């Protein structure tokens, strides 16, 4: 018998009955009893169809098997609704699986969504002790860690204020701080980086990294693939409740990007479903780097080429292509407009056109970007095509020392990291 | 991003591998009742904390704070004593009506107070229940324990009033008071477990419970003496079907037990207490089982 696993899930499934739970809230006991009776009758008389049954069921997780060894840090990747959060909720025993089982060795702490389990009427201090008690820590143990927890959270003087008066950021900071200092054997972390300011996020990541390095087992869920890659060597990919990949994190990210994410290097549209109107329609988009398709990772140093192919249906109008970049949170990052004199402001004949725009290398900082493309006419301004989240890519730095990072490997902020002209001369002394 | 901090993943050994690691098993059924109950003692600090939390929240939100714990039951008893004793002139077996009422109100207010709070024990703590795991049974249990403070205060008030109005206390009665007290705790816990779980599942239980509790109060000999009933409930009453049926309502045994013990002069109502213990045990065990079974669905329902 091997005893070195910290967490082992076998055949794990979770089925939600759509509507059933939601309805229950508003329904009265009588109405519900009546409905249950009708339902039972219909089932008895075989009047409930298989489709009806399938339609009312949603499998958030399906037959998931996962073994995590003691001391392993495992990332969980997947798009929204892929079952990541459900998995963590089952592991943290908040909700029960429909089938299957999980064995967890040792004390487990979880950090799910905002604020962990805080009681709004209690002060920050009391909530720290409450959470510690929930985790099974004795008062004495908590007291020893208390100052570290408060220091880390930066909540400071508000520690004796009821948590209801905390900002959501403070709640998250204190919540993370508690979970991160309670020294659990297994730590479940879900999307902590979705909230809180950048400086705190960086500290969180560092802390998780330290916990992982001290031999604790961590299951880390995040949309931020960069942080997953930083923290864990092994990752699993979930898709529609199924575990579709389990292996090295970099391979997992690649798998995710190639198969499921919005990370696409090329999109084409038929004449029938091409976005646009009777003036112009978008037919194809392709993102390449040095001629090779960019499926996800794009080297920070290299320029990117975006090829836009479109069909002009109504002649005599000046068509102006433009591109718009957003981060994954939807914040606009930049816009670019085709002002090349050959076509700008010039009426075009009908036909298929191809515009290529080169986005220079050494422009972006590492991060995820999504790309929107628009085709407009001016005077009066009219946007004929706008495709949001048309393609997406992420910029990485291979850290070979020749990017604008130089030799620095730590955390940097922002969207851009262009090459700039720096000049220094000694002017005195 | 090959190469990015890849070096950090060579983890050193666990700091203290000898640490006792209990294994948790998560299954659809939510584990066995025995394992569930066995896991409870480990959470005694959390239970104490929850008890303290409930009291603190109660006390902290009002200006009078602690004073309400004394004032609320006193006002209730005074009003009821005026209405039922002075105006309606309900009989009180020769005792001053105020004491007569208070001796029964003491266990009753505990029972009804804890039971009605239990209906919101899970709903009111949804911020905890949907985020972290601990045996949810601790929530209603903390109310059962926390209610004892108010119980103790009312008890002391009774002692003071009894000394002032009759000049003494029935010491013999106090000796067997733990008997109806144990029945009270068992009944209250059982009812609380049922109500807490049901109220989380069906929202209307919360409203229905307050009416049910009112009805139950009039059914038990709280404001009226048991002697009003045609059957006798002594130590060895004849086993009339009504006596048996009525005795199965555990609060009858509780209320009558408290009254006889605190006012003195009566024999121990063995039959009522015995029947009460039977039904209260059933209530407690079924409540425990039902609560544990519905616990796994709680987060989905809240």
């Amino acid at each position: 018998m091997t005893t070195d696993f910290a967490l082992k899930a076998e055949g794990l499934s979770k089925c939600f009955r759509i509507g059933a739970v939601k309805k229950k809230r508003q329904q009265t006991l009588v109405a519900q009893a009546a409905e249950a009776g009708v339902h039972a009758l219909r089932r008895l008389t075989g009047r409930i169809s298989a489709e009806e049954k399938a339609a009312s069921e949603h499998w958030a997780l399906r037959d998931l098997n996962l073994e995590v060894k003691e001391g392993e840090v495992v990332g969980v990747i997947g798009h929204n609704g892929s079952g990541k959060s459900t998995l963590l909720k089952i592991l943290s025993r908040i909700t029960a699986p429909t089938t299957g089982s999980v064995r967890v060795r040792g004390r487990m702490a979880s950090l799910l969504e905002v604020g962990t389990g805080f009681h709004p009427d209690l002060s920050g201090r009391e909530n720290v002790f409450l959470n510690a008690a929930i985790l099974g820590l004795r008062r004495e143990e908590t007291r020893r860690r208390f100052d570290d927890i408060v220091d880390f959270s930066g909540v400071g003087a508000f520690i004796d204020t009821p948590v209801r008066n905390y900002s959501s950021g403070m709640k998250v900071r204190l919540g993370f701080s508690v979970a991160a200092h309670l020294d659990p054997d297994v730590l479940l972390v879900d999307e902590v980086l979705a909230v809180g300011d950048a400086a705190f996020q960086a500290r969180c990541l560092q802390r998780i990294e330290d916990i992982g390095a001290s031999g604790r087992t961590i299951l880390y869920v995040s949309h931020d693939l960069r942080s997953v890659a930083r923290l864990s060597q092994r990752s699993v990919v979930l898709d529609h409740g199924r575990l579709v990949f389990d292996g090295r994190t970099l391979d997992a990210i690649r798998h995710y990007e190639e198969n499921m994410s919005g990370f696409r290097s090329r999109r084409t549209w038929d004449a029938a479903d091409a976005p646009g109107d009777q003036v112009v329609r978008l037919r194809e988009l392709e993102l390449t780097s040095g001629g090779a398709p960019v499926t996800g990772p794009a080297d920070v140093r290299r320029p990117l080429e975006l090829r836009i192919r479109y069909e002009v249906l109504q002649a005599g109008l000046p068509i102006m292509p433009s591109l718009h970049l957003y981060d994954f949170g939807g914040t606009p990052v930049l816009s670019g407009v085709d002002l090349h004199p050959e076509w700008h402001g010039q009426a075009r004949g009908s036909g298929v056109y191809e515009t290529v725009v080169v986005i220079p290398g050494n422009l972006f900082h590492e991060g995820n970007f999504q790309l929107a493309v628009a085709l407009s006419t001016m005077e009066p301004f009219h946007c004929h095509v706008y495709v949001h989240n048309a393609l997406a890519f992420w910029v990485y730095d291979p850290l070979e020392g020749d990017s604008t990072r130089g030799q620095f490997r730590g955390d940097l902020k922002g969207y851009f990291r262009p090459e700039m002209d720096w000049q220094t001369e000694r002017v005195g002394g | 991003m090959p190469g990015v901090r890849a070096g950090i993943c060579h983890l050193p050994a666990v700091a203290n591998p000898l640490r006792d690691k209990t294994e948790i098993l998560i299954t659809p059924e939510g584990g066995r009742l025995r394992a569930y109950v066995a896991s409870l003692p480990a959470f005694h600090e959390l239970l104490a904390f929850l008890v303290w939390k409930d009291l603190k929240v109660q006390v902290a939100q009002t200006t009078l704070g602690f004073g309400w714990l004394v004032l609320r039951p006193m006002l209730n008893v005074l009003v009821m004593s005026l209405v039922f004793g002075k105006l309606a002139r309900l009989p009180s077996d020769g005792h001053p009506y105020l004491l007569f009422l208070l001796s029964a109100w003491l266990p009753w207010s505990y029972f009804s107070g804890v039971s009605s709070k239990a209906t919101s024990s899970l709903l009111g703590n949804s911020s905890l229940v949907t985020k972290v795991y601990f045996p949810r049974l601790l929530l209603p249990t903390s109310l059962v324990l926390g209610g004892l403070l108010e119980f103790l205060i009312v008890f002391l008030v009774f002692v003071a009033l009894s000394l002032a109005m009759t000049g003494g206390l029935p010491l013999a009665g106090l000796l067997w008071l733990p008997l109806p007290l144990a029945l009270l705790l068992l009944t209250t816990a059982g009812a609380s477990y049922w109500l807490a779980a049901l109220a989380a599942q069906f929202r209307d239980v919360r409203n229905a419970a307050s009416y049910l509790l009112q009805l139950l109060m009039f059914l038990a000999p709280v404001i009226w003496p048991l002697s009003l009933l045609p059957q006798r409930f002594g130590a060895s009453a004849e086993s009339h079907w009504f006596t048996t049926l009525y005795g199965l309502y555990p609060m009858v045994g509780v209320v009558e037990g408290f009254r006889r013990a605190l006012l003195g002069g009566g024999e121990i109502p063995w039959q009522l207490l015995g029947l009460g213990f039977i039904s209260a045990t059933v209530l407690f065990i079924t409540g425990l089982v039902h609560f544990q079974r519905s616990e796994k669905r709680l987060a989905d329902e809240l």
Side-chain angles (χ1 to χ4, degrees):
Chain A
M1 194 179 80
T2 52
T3 55
D4 60 342
F5 74 83
L7 188 154
K8 189 174 189 174
E10 283 172 326
L12 210 58
S13 299
K14 176 73 181 180
C15 174
F16 288 108
R17 245 171 258 125
I18 298 174
V21 169
K22 210 189 262 172
K23 259 193 224 156
K24 218 177 250 178
R25 274 170 189 266
Q26 298 129 11
Q27 269 185 352
T28 62
L29 190 56
V30 180
Q32 205 182 327
E35 191 183 278
V38 170
H39 193 79
L41 259 179
R42 286 178 67 196
R43 193 155 40 183
L44 270 178
T45 54
R47 283 188 55 196
I48 194 156
S49 65
E51 291 150 51
E52 205 174 339
K53 192 161 175 281
S56 66
E57 283 180 352
H58 169 65
W59 289 87
L61 273 188
R62 273 222 151 138
D63 196 31
L64 181 133
N65 295 296
L66 176 65
E67 184 175 325
V68 179
K69 301 234 180 307
E70 204 174 281
E72 214 173 6
V73 180
V74 175
V76 181
I77 305 172
H79 53 75
N80 284 332
S82 61
K84 298 179 310 236
S85 295
T86 304
L87 174 62
L88 256 61
K89 277 197 165 166
I90 291 174
L91 296 182
S92 55
R93 294 208 281 170
I94 287 164
T95 187
T98 309
T99 66
S101 67
V102 188
R103 287 155 74 191
V104 183
R105 294 233 174 94
R107 246 179 6 200
M108 182 167 56
S110 54
L111 195 58
L112 309 183
E113 299 154 38
V114 186
T116 54
F118 279 168
H119 196 285
D121 289 329
L122 297 179
S123 72
R125 178 189 302 273
E126 289 155 353
N127 268 303
V128 170
F129 279 92
L130 175 64
N131 273 267
I134 287 172
L135 197 67
L137 236 67
R138 287 194 305 278
R139 279 189 83 76
E140 203 38 58
E141 292 177 275
T142 316
R143 207 167 283 140
R144 246 186 292 129
R145 296 179 169 94
F146 186 77
D147 291 338
D148 288 342
I149 293 174
V150 179
D151 281 352
F152 188 88
S153 72
V155 167
F158 293 99
I159 194 66
D160 287 312
T161 308
V163 161
R164 116 183 51 184
N165 299 332
Y166 279 28
S167 68
S168 57
M170 283 163 75
K171 264 188 262 183
V172 176
R173 295 208 307 263
L174 189 61
F176 180 87
S177 189
V178 172
H181 285 85
L182 292 185
D183 198 19
D185 299 304
V186 181
L187 180 64
L188 308 174
V189 186
D190 189 4
E191 292 295 353
V192 269
L193 299 172
V195 272
D197 58 280
F200 187 73
Q201 285 176 10
R203 276 201 291 155
C204 286
L205 268 184
Q206 187 58 51
R207 180 74 198 179
I208 297 173
E209 205 173 315
D210 291 347
I211 294 172
S214 73
R216 302 284 170 242
T217 309
I218 300 179
L219 217 61
Y220 180 77
V221 171
S222 182
H223 274 115
D224 182 15
L225 299 175
R226 283 190 298 156
S227 66
V228 175
R230 172 174 162 185
L231 291 172
S232 53
Q233 214 169 28
R234 173 185 165 202
S235 287
V236 295
V237 182
L238 297 187
D239 181 33
H240 292 97
R242 293 177 194 275
L243 193 150
V244 293
F245 186 90
D246 183 349
R248 286 181 55 233
T249 293
L250 289 176
D251 296 334
I253 290 175
R254 201 149 307 225
H255 180 95
Y256 171 69
E257 281 157 357
E258 282 168 7
N259 295 287
M260 285 166 301
S261 68
F263 292 105
R264 271 182 284 191
S265 66
R266 182 161 179 267
R267 278 178 85 173
T268 56
W269 289 273
D270 297 336
D273 63 355
D277 53 17
Q278 70 285 354
V279 174
V280 60
R281 285 168 181 263
L282 183 64
R283 296 299 296 271
E284 191 179 334
L285 286 174
E286 189 176 28
L287 191 66
T288 53
S289 178
V294 176
T295 306
D299 189 323
V300 70
R301 302 164 296 182
R302 302 232 167 81
L304 295 169
E305 307 97 36
L306 174 67
R307 194 166 53 82
I308 310 166
R309 182 189 277 255
Y310 48 102
E311 188 174 7
V312 176
L313 301 169
Q314 184 181 324
L317 290 167
I319 307 289
M320 186 179 75
S322 60
L323 83 88
H324 308 270
L325 285 185
Y326 297 85
D327 72 1
F328 270 30
T331 308
V333 174
L334 67 75
S335 290
V337 182
D338 180 6
L339 296 178
H340 197 282
E342 188 185 347
W343 291 106
H344 184 63
Q346 309 292 319
R348 299 200 194 190
S350 56
V352 177
Y353 292 80
E354 198 171 271
T355 302
V356 177
V357 51
V358 178
I359 307 167
N362 280 323
L363 170 66
F364 296 114
H365 180 49
E366 294 132 278
N368 301 331
F369 298 96
Q370 45 181 298
L371 188 151
V373 167
L375 296 167
S376 322
T377 45
M378 300 296 290
E379 287 162 24
F381 174 80
H382 186 82
C383 180
H384 301 280
V385 175
Y386 182 83
V387 182
H388 188 65
N389 197 5
L391 298 177
F393 59 97
W394 61 292
V395 175
Y396 77 98
D397 192 329
L399 298 180
E400 285 165 9
D402 55 348
S403 71
T404 54
R405 264 183 180 281
Q407 300 296 331
F408 180 67
R409 290 179 163 233
D411 199 41
L412 287 171
K413 314 265 180 289
Y415 294 119
F416 300 108
R417 227 173 58 205
E419 283 181 316
M420 289 184 269
D421 190 18
W422 296 82
Q423 296 204 14
T424 308
E425 52 189 285
R426 188 171 177 147
V427 292
Chain B
M1 96 195 290
V4 180
R5 316 207 53 152
I8 66 140
C9 292
H10 300 288
L11 297 172
V14 171
N16 183 2
L18 291 178
R19 181 151 107 172
D20 174 40
K21 284 191 181 162
T22 47
E23 187 170 307
I24 306 163
L25 180 68
I26 303 169
T27 60
E29 300 80 33
R32 302 207 163 273
L33 183 65
R34 188 179 298 182
Y36 183 74
V37 173
S39 76
L40 294 174
F43 288 92
H44 68 273
E45 284 213 18
L46 178 58
L47 181 62
F49 195 96
L50 289 171
V51 170
W52 176 84
K53 182 207 87 179
D54 283 332
L55 294 176
K56 183 189 159 169
V57 169
Q58 257 180 59
V59 167
Q61 283 170 346
T62 54
T63 328
L64 266 180
F66 194 73
W68 279 114
L69 290 180
V70 186
L71 214 58
R72 193 173 37 217
M74 286 308 92
L75 288 174
N76 271 330
V77 168
L78 278 178
V79 170
M80 288 171 72
S81 169
L82 269 178
V83 174
F84 298 122
K86 290 275 182 260
L87 296 176
R89 293 183 181 282
L90 285 176
S92 56
D93 292 344
H95 301 284
Y97 190 80
L98 183 63
L99 284 186
F100 171 83
L101 178 65
L102 192 55
S103 63
W105 185 252
L106 172 64
W108 182 266
S109 68
Y110 170 81
F111 170 74
S112 78
V114 171
S115 301
S116 71
K117 269 186 217 150
T119 58
S120 49
S121 65
L122 294 171
L123 295 172
N125 285 296
S126 59
S127 62
L128 287 182
V129 173
T130 55
K131 302 274 175 168
V132 276
Y133 176 79
F134 54 92
R136 311 316 190 191
L137 195 72
L138 298 180
L139 288 170
T141 305
S142 73
L143 295 174
V144 171
L145 295 180
L148 287 173
L149 178 66
E150 191 171 315
F151 177 87
L152 186 70
I153 291 169
V154 181
F155 178 74
L156 292 177
V157 169
F158 176 87
V159 169
L161 279 177
S162 176
L163 287 175
M165 293 170 78
T166 66
L169 268 180
L171 291 176
L174 291 185
L175 280 179
W176 58 269
L177 190 65
L179 220 53
L181 179 61
L183 180 57
L184 172 65
L185 293 177
L186 195 66
T187 309
T188 309
S192 299
Y193 296 164
W194 269 109
L195 286 171
L198 285 175
Q201 198 180 354
F202 307 105
R203 300 298 142 124
D204 25 16
V205 166
R206 226 161 144 179
N207 296 323
S210 64
Y211 291 103
L212 182 70
L213 285 169
Q214 229 162 43
L215 182 73
L216 286 176
M217 184 187 87
F218 290 115
L219 274 179
V222 177
I223 59 166
W224 46 271
L226 199 62
S227 59
L228 276 190
L229 293 178
Q231 271 78 28
R232 297 291 97 169
F233 294 90
S236 55
E238 69 278 28
S239 53
H240 186 271
W241 67 267
F242 177 78
T243 331
T244 314
L245 194 66
Y246 194 52
L248 282 175
Y249 173 24
M251 285 309 286
V252 175
V254 170
V255 164
E256 190 58 19
F258 266 84
R259 180 166 280 155
R260 290 189 193 178
L262 290 175
L263 297 179
E267 64 227 311
I268 303 175
W270 287 115
Q271 194 197 5
L272 286 177
L273 288 172
L275 287 168
F277 265 110
I278 292 172
S279 55
T281 306
V282 172
L283 185 75
F284 180 82
I285 290 173
T286 54
L288 198 64
V289 171
H290 176 256
F291 192 96
Q292 192 240 352
R293 288 209 181 141
S294 41
E295 182 176 293
K296 64 184 179 113
R297 290 195 316 262
L298 274 176
D300 300 341
E301 274 160 0
L302 288 174

